[in-house]
Amino acid sequence: MMKINTIDIFENSRKPVVGAGPCSAESEEQVMSIARSLASRGVTFFRAGIWKPRTKPGCFEGVGAKGLAWLKRVHDELSIPVATEVATPQHVEQCLSAGIDILWIGARTTTNPFAVQELADALRGVDVPVLVKNPVNPDLELWIGALERLSNAGVTRMGVIHRGFSSYGEKIFRNSPQWQLPLELKRRLPLVPILCDPSHIAGKRELLSMLAQEAMDLNFDGLMIEAHNCPECALSDNRQQIVPDELFMILDRLVHRSSNSGANEIARYRGLIDEIDDKIMHLISKRMQIAREIGEIKKEKGLTVFQPGRYKQVMERFAADSSVHRLDVEAMKDIFEAIHSESIRQQLRIVNDITD
Ligand code: PEP
Ligand code: MN
């Protein structure tokens, strides 16, 4: 059993929770300028990668530990929680001493149980909030296993981030969403908040809005989206980043459907169904009463209870009526056979003077 405590940002912020910021912290000015635009318009927390896991060597691998001071400045000057990715125990130590509010474990790290265990050991006794991205491969047990390793080390404030799963070949999404995995995780661990990262699913700006809406429709608790003051000149992930104005346009356009209003509508229809069922019950009871009166007559006249001609007539009527009402003939036959045979049972009791 995992012990889950709430992370403040999910408790005290307006919904959906939105984490935004550049893929990578590139300079103090870049970090401060993006953070100012985001914090002034109500983003829940600021994200920026300091150590960047890159597929190929020779790419920009992040500014490293010196960027932590820039994040701290964002926290102190703009009063907004800051988050960054950790992949090694040294990253954890450096983040903790710099006062980083939220840590996240990247997709490549979640894939590796040795690395996750090392992070869990480094976090023992600390209980800083940790967001765990899904592993790059669609393995739900591996994702939950990472949460269990953290939980076993005493981390209780955990959340997850769905950022899609990698696959080979030409594709629409950089990482395919495979929504059934995060939804199954939510079903199994309902207390763990779940964010969607449409930036890394999409890989391109044009798809962000559609994916963010899909996440809202699936009742995700929030979003983590990459935002940059000059997306085209970003040192990493420049195809998927957007300027803060675009981010707020996407957020403003999101349609929030309440899971409750759906439940109310269903409850209203269920009320109608209950009323109809009551009427059906009442009519069946009335039908049985008449059948019993016929039973008295059959008894008096010495007639057989079951009369094949009548039975055939009843069933033919139902078959004809079924198609008029666009009901399945076989299903209706089962129902009326059951009603007819209950009538026969009641008449038999009368003819045979069974009273109890
Ligand atoms: C990121 O958030 O910048 C990042 C590297 O994400 P992921 O681990 O999902 O690839
Ligand atoms: Mn990125």
Side-chain angles (χ1 to χ4, degrees), residues 23 47 52 85 104 106-108 133 163 200 226:
C23 177
R47 64 143 284 154
K52 298 303 300 176
E85 174 174 349
W104 87 74
R108 293 156 193 80
K133 287 198 169 199
R163 49 77 80 197
H200 290 89
E226 288 184 340

Side-chain angles (χ1 to χ4, degrees), residues 22-24 47 52 133 174 197 199-200 226 236-237 240-241:
C23 177
S24 302
R47 64 143 284 154
K52 298 303 300 176
K133 287 198 169 199
R174 177 179 174 190
D197 170 349
S199 306
H200 290 89
E226 288 184 340
S236 57
D237 288 350
Q240 69 196 31
Q241 303 204 58

